[in-house]
Amino acid sequence: MAPPSSGPPAGHNDHLVQSDNPDHPANLIPSLCAKFWTLGWVTGTGGGASIREDDLVYIAPSGVQKELMKPADIYVLSLAAQAQSLDRRNRVYLRSPPSYKPSQCTPLFLAAFTKRRAGCCIHTHSHWAVLVTLLLETQGAGKDREFRINNIEQIKGFGRGFEKTGNLGYHDTLVIPVIENTAHEEDLTEFLEEAMDKYPDTYAVLVRRHGVYVWGDNVHKAKTQCESLDYLFQLAVEMKRLNLPWITDIEPVTPRKS
Amino acid sequence: MAPPSSGPPAGHNDHLVQSDNPDHPANLIPSLCAKFWTLGWVTGTGGGASIREDDLVYIAPSGVQKELMKPADIYVLSLAAQAQSLDRRNRVYLRSPPSYKPSQCTPLFLAAFTKRRAGCCIHTHSHWAVLVTLLLETQGAGKDREFRINNIEQIKGFGRGFEKTGNLGYHDTLVIPVIENTAHEEDLTEFLEEAMDKYPDTYAVLVRRHGVYVWGDNVHKAKTQCESLDYLFQLAVEMKRLNLPWITDIEPVTPRKS
Amino acid sequence: MAPPSSGPPAGHNDHLVQSDNPDHPANLIPSLCAKFWTLGWVTGTGGGASIREDDLVYIAPSGVQKELMKPADIYVLSLAAQAQSLDRRNRVYLRSPPSYKPSQCTPLFLAAFTKRRAGCCIHTHSHWAVLVTLLLETQGAGKDREFRINNIEQIKGFGRGFEKTGNLGYHDTLVIPVIENTAHEEDLTEFLEEAMDKYPDTYAVLVRRHGVYVWGDNVHKAKTQCESLDYLFQLAVEMKRLNLPWITDIEPVTPRKS
Amino acid sequence: MAPPSSGPPAGHNDHLVQSDNPDHPANLIPSLCAKFWTLGWVTGTGGGASIREDDLVYIAPSGVQKELMKPADIYVLSLAAQAQSLDRRNRVYLRSPPSYKPSQCTPLFLAAFTKRRAGCCIHTHSHWAVLVTLLLETQGAGKDREFRINNIEQIKGFGRGFEKTGNLGYHDTLVIPVIENTAHEEDLTEFLEEAMDKYPDTYAVLVRRHGVYVWGDNVHKAKTQCESLDYLFQLAVEMKRLNLPWITDIEPVTPRKS
């Protein structure tokens, strides 16, 4: 099931994942994933994260326990070299760990890096994301499902959109598209890219009965947007249980003196 | 969106945030916020905390990951200097971190410090606080919403009120006012101050679809009141799910022999 | 509100709370309480724990943040000296911390130590305990409420009763009495002792809208019984939400060959 | 209640549980169990874990606080010696801790090791597992209950079956049999072995109102399958609360270009 790949011999370019700096991507991916594990986002090897620094992309391998990952487990590939490859599924890794397989999420992370110039992309299997997609199933037949919520302060945690400055406001409606899940995760790429085209300002795409992909210009923005979104998904599920609507009409309030 | 501010050059007054004492405000704010992050109170840079020691006010900056904050990130301002400023939005910082913006919560924290002589003020985006305000929406039309609960032991976790001694009792009704949320957090200040005037004994104000502000005479009281309140908000949501009323009529029990 | 007490001058008998042994009661109470705080049992200074070793009783003070407690904060009293006191509310402490007040839970802990020869008693404000008492309110009018559950494996986590050997079985019905809450925690003592008399085999007593007291012959048993009970309370609330009864009639199954 | 056992004198073969390698079974069982405690899987001494390396089986003792276990607490037995024993209940331990009793789970762990050549077996009392068995009770009268769920991505976390390669797919139906609980845990063995015979490809068996046994070819697989299953149990309970069915009919989607 893993895509074909070619790479350097074991030990080659190991310096790419060796650094004393805790903010180096090879150190940051393991520490972020350990944190995400405690949040229930990457249970049982599900989910993952990838960081891009300029041309270099750092990716966690397939099938590892995310809270136990080590810098030496990280794959590194060149975005430019990848772009020149005729076969987008034939990836050339600058550095590979000795005993793992590349993540099936790789082309989805690359879509965020190439189409949105993201600096980080996070994939979670959070229960709340999955439950939101399940609740949306009950609200209509079509494939073109969207999660929509407005008038919640945490919506301010999202940027207004690709190449736009500033964040969404309290009264704005956050819209997250939902794509169909496919039998093979790589096959999601096409749907993810379509969603990016149709929703050019979104920083996240839900995958039906699967989870969510969230990205940002850098690690800080990807992580805080992913946290804010998970917060909203959980809130939305709790609201549904209490029979509260996700979309409401609230008149903005103007302070009198200011 | 950030308010205008002027401050000293970078590096000036850095000693105000440098201490080996873990209870120094510049150390305590980061460690408290890291703890609050694990409680889901300051997800995705939301929420925050501020401590006042005599004239000096220590505040976390805007937009940081709260569990990663460092003492060097903290702003310091003088309450007296701030009070003399003609324009309450033009704040003079004694010490500023090099690469952040001041928190939009600043005037709200200052309101607690000046109007209630609080020593610490905490702002959370806790799901439970937001859900309580959502549930209150369904219970009536007016803007003058209050969260009311009685006959729960944890109510004893609150002081009886500003400049009063002792705490609330088991049979007392805890009343927390709810204010409207505004597009810009600074604009909440007016509503918060109004609520303080109308509810002089409250130590907390809920913000609709946003979260809660909780204060106390010192860090200990602000934190334990904030924990007790979050406990009560969660209990209130669970009670609503189970169809149990927040207010009941219970006859006090007198022990026979004592 | 704190009971009158007399004690030695500050610093006297400090050796009673100084030990390098992590299992010494003065070290164990803080480490247990820090763990209980993460479980939501002792939020906002609520709840507490006490350990008895022979004649000496170690108790956490009133009003401290339970996850921050230190060995130096612990009170120590002599059970024998206490028993000889004519006024049971006038407690003589062998060792007192310099700046705290004794816990209002003290006479309740003492009841477990004297009437049941317990080695440890834990008091939690767990949401699940409070919710169980709230759910029981809806099931009948009288004061004589009991939590009853059977046919759940975790019931095996409880001893069969005071001075009895062995534990409850899977098919046994666990019965936990509920006592009325009083305005002052000390006044609960009378009700707790009555419940101990009426339910001689119970290791726990629920307090309406307040929490639970759980004890055991030693720290290990008190803690694991308290954990098992909190597990059952949470399960019971979830069962109620899903409309599943707490008591069922299940025929024991006999394996064929053994 | 504990089965008869004979073993070496205290101190004999202690080298079997002494290693500096954190991945040695005697070190791994305590660190895994501490992690499981934080997940609510082994509350109040419930649940446990066992690891097999070739002929040697390492097992946690009965009745310990699982987050406090130490390598010195671990039992070791020989699978070959055990197989030769005429009386399967008379176990010969190569190494025994000085002051504990063997776990009643022992014959259940051995069933996974002998019938499935598992390298690790985990037993949890997770609320979600228990609630799933309770929900299944309401769906029919017979004893032959199964938990069935399909079209959820996390299903990919399971191997296709004993001696089969590859994992289940997104559209596959995961089937976990439920066995009756017995008064004595050892007596479950017969039912567990029957379920293994009837469901040769399962890696887990639910025990009614008790919990779940999950195994795998090695520690990695047992742990990640156990996590994935707990994730699905929790999701299933949340789905039931929201009135969403566990089994649905979804047409596989074929990407257009690939």
Side-chain angles (χ1 to χ4, degrees):
Chain A
M1 234 71 89
S5 69
S6 59
H12 191 69
N13 277 336
D14 276 359
H15 69 277
L16 292 175
V17 297
Q18 293 165 342
S19 167
D20 291 336
N21 180 357
D23 289 334
H24 184 282
N27 295 325
L28 207 46
I29 290 174
S31 65
L32 282 172
C33 283
K35 191 178 280 189
F36 297 163
W37 186 84
T38 67
L39 297 174
W41 290 1
V42 293
T43 298
T45 87
S50 179
I51 295 174
R52 178 184 69 82
E53 275 198 353
D54 301 326
D55 179 54
L56 294 185
V57 173
Y58 301 79
I59 313 184
S62 176
V64 294
Q65 295 176 57
K66 292 295 185 292
E67 85 278 20
L68 301 181
M69 214 191 305
K70 293 183 179 66
D73 301 340
I74 302 289
Y75 283 88
V76 187
L77 58 74
S78 152
L79 213 55
Q82 179 64 23
Q84 284 161 11
S85 165
L86 290 183
D87 177 0
R88 56 188 283 178
R89 295 204 166 201
N90 183 11
R91 276 180 286 281
V92 184
Y93 291 95
L94 296 180
R95 193 269 164 181
S96 298
S99 56
Y100 290 110
K101 285 195 294 186
S103 168
Q104 293 231 0
C105 305
T106 304
L108 295 120
F109 293 145
L110 293 178
F113 299 150
T114 54
K115 286 181 75 84
R116 288 295 174 269
R117 270 173 262 148
C120 176
C121 186
I122 298 166
H123 172 43
T124 91
H125 283 196
S126 164
H127 278 111
W128 310 114
V130 172
L131 285 167
V132 161
T133 71
L134 288 165
L135 286 168
L136 286 169
E137 286 183 17
T138 66
Q139 291 180 9
K143 271 186 185 175
D144 296 321
R145 295 184 184 112
E146 296 170 342
F147 170 67
R148 301 171 72 93
I149 195 163
N150 69 358
N151 293 312
I152 300 289
E153 179 73 7
Q154 196 76 26
I155 290 169
K156 287 184 176 173
F158 295 86
R160 284 184 53 239
F162 182 47
E163 298 188 320
K164 294 182 177 172
T165 54
N167 276 21
L168 291 178
Y170 166 60
H171 296 293
D172 290 333
T173 299
L174 177 73
V175 181
I176 308 289
V178 185
I179 61 174
E180 269 304 309
N181 197 24
T182 53
H184 302 295
E185 192 141 11
E186 293 231 334
D187 293 338
L188 285 177
T189 316
E190 202 176 311
F191 296 150
L192 182 76
E193 292 178 344
E194 276 176 18
M196 285 172 163
D197 290 339
K198 195 170 163 195
Y199 297 82
D201 285 332
T202 194
Y203 285 102
V205 171
L206 279 160
V207 187
R208 186 184 176 193
R209 294 167 170 269
H210 178 155
V212 68
Y213 279 86
V214 186
W215 58 90
D217 294 349
N218 50 47
V219 171
H220 171 89
K221 289 188 182 176
K223 171 177 174 281
T224 58
Q225 290 191 150
C226 194
E227 280 184 30
S228 294
L229 201 53
D230 202 58
Y231 171 105
L232 289 170
F233 290 155
Q234 179 177 352
L235 188 70
V237 173
E238 309 268 14
M239 286 170 83
K240 190 65 70 178
R241 279 189 198 142
L242 292 162
N243 234 355
L244 301 162
W246 295 346
I247 293 285
T248 46
D249 195 17
I250 292 183
E251 198 71 22
V253 177
T254 322
R256 275 151 281 184
K257 307 178 210 152
S258 39
Chain B
M1 234 71 91
S5 69
S6 60
H12 192 71
N13 277 335
D14 277 359
H15 69 276
L16 292 174
V17 296
Q18 293 165 342
S19 167
D20 292 336
N21 180 357
D23 289 335
H24 184 283
N27 296 325
L28 207 46
I29 290 175
S31 66
L32 282 172
C33 283
K35 191 178 280 190
F36 297 164
W37 186 85
T38 67
L39 297 173
W41 291 1
V42 293
T43 299
T45 86
S50 180
I51 295 175
R52 179 184 69 82
E53 275 198 353
D54 301 325
D55 179 54
L56 294 185
V57 173
Y58 301 79
I59 313 183
S62 175
V64 294
Q65 295 175 57
K66 293 296 186 292
E67 85 278 21
L68 302 181
M69 214 191 306
K70 292 183 180 67
D73 301 339
I74 302 289
Y75 283 89
V76 187
L77 58 74
S78 153
L79 213 54
Q82 179 64 24
Q84 286 161 10
S85 166
L86 290 182
D87 176 0
R88 57 190 280 180
R89 295 204 164 200
N90 183 11
R91 276 180 286 282
V92 184
Y93 291 95
L94 296 180
R95 193 269 166 183
S96 298
S99 56
Y100 290 109
K101 285 194 294 186
S103 168
Q104 292 231 358
C105 304
T106 304
L108 295 121
F109 293 146
L110 293 179
F113 299 149
T114 54
K115 285 182 77 83
R116 287 295 174 270
R117 270 174 263 150
C120 175
C121 186
I122 299 167
H123 171 43
T124 91
H125 283 196
S126 164
H127 278 112
W128 309 114
V130 172
L131 285 166
V132 161
T133 71
L134 288 165
L135 286 168
L136 285 170
E137 287 182 18
T138 67
Q139 290 180 10
K143 270 185 185 174
D144 297 321
R145 296 185 183 110
E146 296 170 341
F147 170 68
R148 301 172 72 93
I149 195 163
N150 70 357
N151 293 312
I152 301 289
E153 179 72 8
Q154 196 76 28
I155 290 169
K156 288 184 178 173
F158 295 86
R160 285 186 51 240
F162 182 49
E163 299 189 320
K164 295 183 177 172
T165 54
N167 276 20
L168 291 178
Y170 166 61
H171 295 293
D172 289 334
T173 298
L174 177 72
V175 181
I176 308 289
V178 185
I179 61 175
E180 270 304 309
N181 197 24
T182 53
H184 302 294
E185 193 141 10
E186 293 231 333
D187 293 338
L188 285 177
T189 315
E190 202 176 310
F191 295 150
L192 182 75
E193 293 178 344
E194 276 176 16
M196 285 172 163
D197 290 339
K198 195 170 163 196
Y199 298 83
D201 285 331
T202 194
Y203 286 102
V205 172
L206 279 160
V207 187
R208 186 184 176 193
R209 294 168 170 267
H210 179 154
V212 68
Y213 280 84
V214 186
W215 58 90
D217 293 350
N218 50 46
V219 172
H220 170 89
K221 289 189 181 175
K223 171 176 173 281
T224 58
Q225 291 191 149
C226 194
E227 280 183 30
S228 294
L229 200 53
D230 203 57
Y231 171 104
L232 289 170
F233 290 154
Q234 179 177 354
L235 188 71
V237 174
E238 309 269 14
M239 286 170 83
K240 189 65 69 177
R241 281 190 196 139
L242 292 161
N243 234 355
L244 301 162
W246 295 345
I247 293 286
T248 46
D249 194 17
I250 293 182
E251 198 70 24
V253 176
T254 322
R256 276 150 278 184
K257 307 178 211 152
S258 40
Chain C
M1 232 74 87
S5 68
S6 59
H12 192 71
N13 276 335
D14 277 358
H15 70 275
L16 291 174
V17 296
Q18 292 165 341
S19 166
D20 291 335
N21 180 357
D23 290 335
H24 184 282
N27 295 325
L28 207 47
I29 290 176
S31 66
L32 283 172
C33 283
K35 191 179 279 190
F36 297 164
W37 186 84
T38 68
L39 297 174
W41 290 1
V42 292
T43 298
T45 85
S50 178
I51 296 175
R52 180 184 67 83
E53 274 197 355
D54 301 325
D55 179 54
L56 294 185
V57 173
Y58 301 79
I59 313 183
S62 175
V64 294
Q65 295 175 57
K66 292 295 186 291
E67 83 278 21
L68 301 181
M69 214 190 307
K70 294 184 180 64
D73 301 339
I74 302 289
Y75 283 88
V76 187
L77 58 74
S78 152
L79 213 54
Q82 179 64 25
Q84 286 161 10
S85 166
L86 289 182
D87 176 0
R88 56 189 282 179
R89 296 205 163 199
N90 183 11
R91 276 181 285 282
V92 183
Y93 291 96
L94 296 181
R95 193 269 166 185
S96 298
S99 55
Y100 290 110
K101 285 193 295 186
S103 168
Q104 293 231 357
C105 304
T106 303
L108 295 120
F109 293 146
L110 292 179
F113 298 149
T114 53
K115 285 182 76 84
R116 287 296 174 269
R117 271 174 263 149
C120 176
C121 186
I122 299 167
H123 171 42
T124 91
H125 283 196
S126 164
H127 277 111
W128 309 114
V130 173
L131 285 167
V132 161
T133 70
L134 288 166
L135 286 167
L136 286 169
E137 287 182 18
T138 67
Q139 290 180 10
K143 270 186 187 176
D144 296 320
R145 296 185 182 108
E146 296 171 342
F147 170 67
R148 301 172 72 93
I149 195 164
N150 70 356
N151 293 311
I152 300 290
E153 180 71 9
Q154 197 75 28
I155 289 169
K156 288 184 177 172
F158 296 85
R160 284 184 54 239
F162 183 48
E163 298 189 320
K164 296 183 177 173
T165 56
N167 277 21
L168 291 178
Y170 166 61
H171 296 292
D172 289 334
T173 299
L174 177 72
V175 181
I176 308 288
V178 185
I179 60 174
E180 270 305 309
N181 197 25
T182 52
H184 302 294
E185 192 140 11
E186 292 230 335
D187 292 338
L188 285 176
T189 315
E190 201 177 310
F191 295 150
L192 182 76
E193 292 179 345
E194 276 176 17
M196 285 172 162
D197 290 339
K198 194 169 163 196
Y199 298 84
D201 285 331
T202 194
Y203 286 102
V205 172
L206 279 160
V207 186
R208 185 185 178 194
R209 294 169 170 263
H210 178 156
V212 69
Y213 280 84
V214 186
W215 57 90
D217 294 349
N218 50 45
V219 172
H220 170 90
K221 289 189 181 176
K223 171 176 173 282
T224 58
Q225 291 191 149
C226 194
E227 281 183 30
S228 294
L229 200 53
D230 202 57
Y231 171 104
L232 289 170
F233 290 154
Q234 179 177 353
L235 189 71
V237 174
E238 309 268 14
M239 286 170 83
K240 190 62 70 178
R241 279 189 197 141
L242 293 161
N243 234 356
L244 300 161
W246 295 345
I247 293 285
T248 47
D249 195 16
I250 292 181
E251 198 70 24
V253 177
T254 323
R256 276 151 278 185
K257 307 177 209 152
S258 38
Chain D
M1 232 72 87
S5 69
S6 58
H12 192 69
N13 277 336
D14 277 357
H15 70 276
L16 291 175
V17 296
Q18 293 164 342
S19 166
D20 292 335
N21 181 357
D23 289 334
H24 184 282
N27 296 325
L28 207 47
I29 290 176
S31 65
L32 282 172
C33 283
K35 191 179 281 191
F36 297 164
W37 187 84
T38 67
L39 297 174
W41 290 1
V42 293
T43 298
T45 86
S50 179
I51 296 175
R52 179 184 67 83
E53 275 198 353
D54 301 326
D55 179 55
L56 294 184
V57 173
Y58 301 80
I59 313 184
S62 175
V64 293
Q65 295 176 57
K66 292 296 186 290
E67 84 278 20
L68 302 182
M69 214 191 305
K70 294 184 179 63
D73 301 339
I74 302 289
Y75 283 89
V76 187
L77 58 73
S78 152
L79 213 55
Q82 179 65 23
Q84 285 162 9
S85 165
L86 289 183
D87 177 0
R88 57 188 284 178
R89 295 204 166 201
N90 183 10
R91 277 180 285 284
V92 184
Y93 291 95
L94 296 181
R95 193 267 164 183
S96 298
S99 56
Y100 289 110
K101 285 193 294 187
S103 168
Q104 293 231 0
C105 304
T106 304
L108 295 120
F109 292 145
L110 293 178
F113 298 149
T114 53
K115 285 183 76 84
R116 287 294 174 270
R117 270 172 264 149
C120 176
C121 186
I122 299 166
H123 171 43
T124 90
H125 283 195
S126 165
H127 278 112
W128 310 114
V130 173
L131 285 167
V132 161
T133 71
L134 287 166
L135 286 168
L136 286 168
E137 287 182 17
T138 67
Q139 291 180 10
K143 271 187 187 175
D144 297 320
R145 294 185 184 111
E146 296 170 342
F147 170 67
R148 301 172 73 93
I149 195 164
N150 70 356
N151 293 312
I152 301 289
E153 179 72 9
Q154 196 76 28
I155 290 169
K156 287 183 176 173
F158 295 85
R160 283 184 54 241
F162 182 48
E163 298 188 322
K164 295 182 177 172
T165 55
N167 276 21
L168 291 178
Y170 166 60
H171 296 294
D172 289 334
T173 298
L174 177 73
V175 181
I176 308 289
V178 185
I179 61 174
E180 269 305 310
N181 197 26
T182 53
H184 301 293
E185 191 140 12
E186 293 230 334
D187 293 338
L188 285 176
T189 316
E190 202 176 309
F191 295 150
L192 182 76
E193 292 178 344
E194 276 176 17
M196 284 173 163
D197 290 339
K198 194 169 164 198
Y199 297 83
D201 286 331
T202 195
Y203 285 102
V205 172
L206 279 159
V207 187
R208 185 184 177 194
R209 293 168 171 266
H210 178 157
V212 68
Y213 280 84
V214 186
W215 58 89
D217 295 349
N218 50 46
V219 172
H220 170 90
K221 289 189 182 176
K223 171 176 173 281
T224 57
Q225 291 191 150
C226 194
E227 280 184 30
S228 294
L229 201 53
D230 202 58
Y231 171 104
L232 289 170
F233 290 154
Q234 179 178 353
L235 189 70
V237 174
E238 308 268 14
M239 286 170 83
K240 190 63 71 180
R241 277 187 200 145
L242 292 161
N243 234 354
L244 301 162
W246 294 346
I247 293 286
T248 46
D249 195 17
I250 292 182
E251 198 70 23
V253 176
T254 322
R256 276 150 278 184
K257 307 178 209 151
S258 40

